[in-house]
Amino acid sequence: MVSSRCNDAFPVGGDVSLTETRRQLKERIENVRLFDQQLFDVWINEDAPAPATQESWDTCMAQVDACDILLVLFNGNAGWTVGEGDLGICHGEWQRGRHSAPGKVHLIQLGSDEDLKIHDRKPDKRFRDEVAKSGDFTARALSPQALFDEASQTLLHAVTQLVGLGGQDARGSRYHLGEALEWSKLDYRTRADRIADTLGASIVQNGGQKVGARTFTRQIEGVSVFFA
C-alpha cells in the first residue's frame, strides 16, 4: 500500500500532482518481475475513489491492516479528517500501521523540511510532531525521479527483511515484537479499543460486513451470525 496525499503538488510549487506520481510509482513497482512473475500488487486509493466519509476511512484502515508493506510518502499534510479536530487520513494510516506492525512501515519524506511546513493546520502540525518523535525515516526525495529511486531501494530493503523474518519463523523461531510490547504503554480503554478494532477488521477480511460502529454480521456454515 502507498499512503500519501493525492492532490498536492510535488515538488511544491510544481504543476504535477501526487496522484499522477502515485500512478506512475504503482506502475513501476508492479512491473517488477521475479522469475517472470509479478512480485507486487500495489493498492492506492485512486483505484477505489470515494468521498471523505467514515466508510472511506474504514476502507483505508482495512487496507493498512491487510498490506505486507506500507510505503508512506510524507509531505507534512495530514490529509482530510472525518470530523473537526480528528486525525487526518494520512496520519491515521501511518499510525495504524505503526500500531499493528511497525516493521512493515517505511516512510519517505517528500521535499525539504521547509516544504513540510507549508501545511499549517493543527492536524498537520500534530502529524509532523509525531513523525519527528517516532524516528521513522527511510529517505528523502526532492523530485518524482528521486522518489522512484528511493522507493525501489526501500522496497528492496523491505522484501529482504520480510524474507529474513519468514526464514527465521520457518526454522521455529518466534518473533512477536509488534503490538504485544506496546501494551504496557496503553490504558485499559485504549487496549479494549485496539482489541475490538482488530477483531472487527478480521471479521470483515474473512467475508463479514460492518453494520454499525462496533457491530458486524458474517455467514458461518450458512447461518448469519451477529457480532458486537
Side-chain angles (χ1 to χ4, degrees):
M1 177 178 176
V2 177
S3 169
S4 80
R5 288 287 296 156
C6 298
N7 297 325
D8 295 352
F10 175 64
V12 172
D15 56 1
V16 177
S17 72
L18 272 170
T19 282
E20 182 176 342
T21 301
R22 284 157 56 90
R23 290 192 185 279
Q24 293 180 33
L25 180 61
K26 171 184 169 73
E27 182 178 6
R28 285 170 177 257
I29 294 173
E30 290 188 336
N31 282 338
V32 172
R33 293 290 186 269
L34 179 66
F35 301 120
D36 204 32
Q37 299 295 315
Q38 181 175 333
L39 186 60
F40 297 103
D41 180 20
V42 181
W43 190 88
I44 54 177
N45 61 15
E46 286 88 350
D47 295 336
T53 62
Q54 182 64 50
E55 182 178 359
S56 177
W57 178 283
D58 292 342
T59 297
C60 292
M61 295 304 123
Q63 290 294 330
V64 171
D65 292 339
C67 73
D68 298 306
I69 300 171
L70 178 63
L71 185 60
V72 178
L73 310 183
F74 173 63
N75 74 337
N77 190 335
W80 58 267
T81 62
V82 174
E84 185 177 354
D86 289 344
L87 291 179
I89 183 63
C90 297
H91 188 175
E93 289 170 349
W94 169 79
Q95 189 180 80
R96 178 70 164 245
R98 293 190 82 253
H99 285 164
S100 61
K104 75 178 182 181
V105 181
H106 302 270
L107 184 144
I108 298 177
Q109 179 175 313
L110 303 182
S112 67
D113 292 342
E114 290 304 312
D115 289 337
L116 303 184
K117 296 177 183 177
I118 67 171
H119 307 287
D120 59 358
R121 302 173 304 155
K122 286 184 178 180
D124 302 332
K125 294 176 181 177
R126 191 189 332 171
F127 189 20
R128 289 200 302 275
D129 288 345
E130 286 198 25
V131 168
K133 291 176 183 177
S134 74
D136 282 7
F137 185 76
T138 300
R140 185 197 311 265
L142 301 180
S143 68
Q145 184 57 54
L147 170 59
F148 300 149
D149 293 341
E150 294 295 349
S152 296
Q153 291 300 312
T154 299
L155 289 175
L156 175 61
H157 169 76
V159 171
T160 302
Q161 186 179 46
L162 287 171
V163 171
L165 289 173
Q168 290 170 344
D169 192 63
R171 291 191 296 270
S173 299
R174 291 293 180 266
Y175 282 79
H176 302 300
L177 300 179
E179 189 75 7
L181 296 182
E182 299 295 326
W183 285 119
S184 61
K185 301 178 182 178
L186 305 177
D187 59 50
Y188 288 112
R189 181 180 295 276
T190 304
R191 293 185 193 188
D193 288 342
R194 294 278 173 81
I195 292 170
D197 288 343
T198 300
L199 290 171
S202 177
I203 292 170
V204 171
Q205 289 170 18
N206 285 279
Q209 292 186 333
K210 185 172 184 178
V211 295
R214 284 283 170 80
T215 54
F216 306 82
T217 60
R218 182 186 167 201
Q219 292 286 326
I220 298 179
E221 297 184 355
V223 178
S224 182
V225 180
F226 178 79
F227 294 85

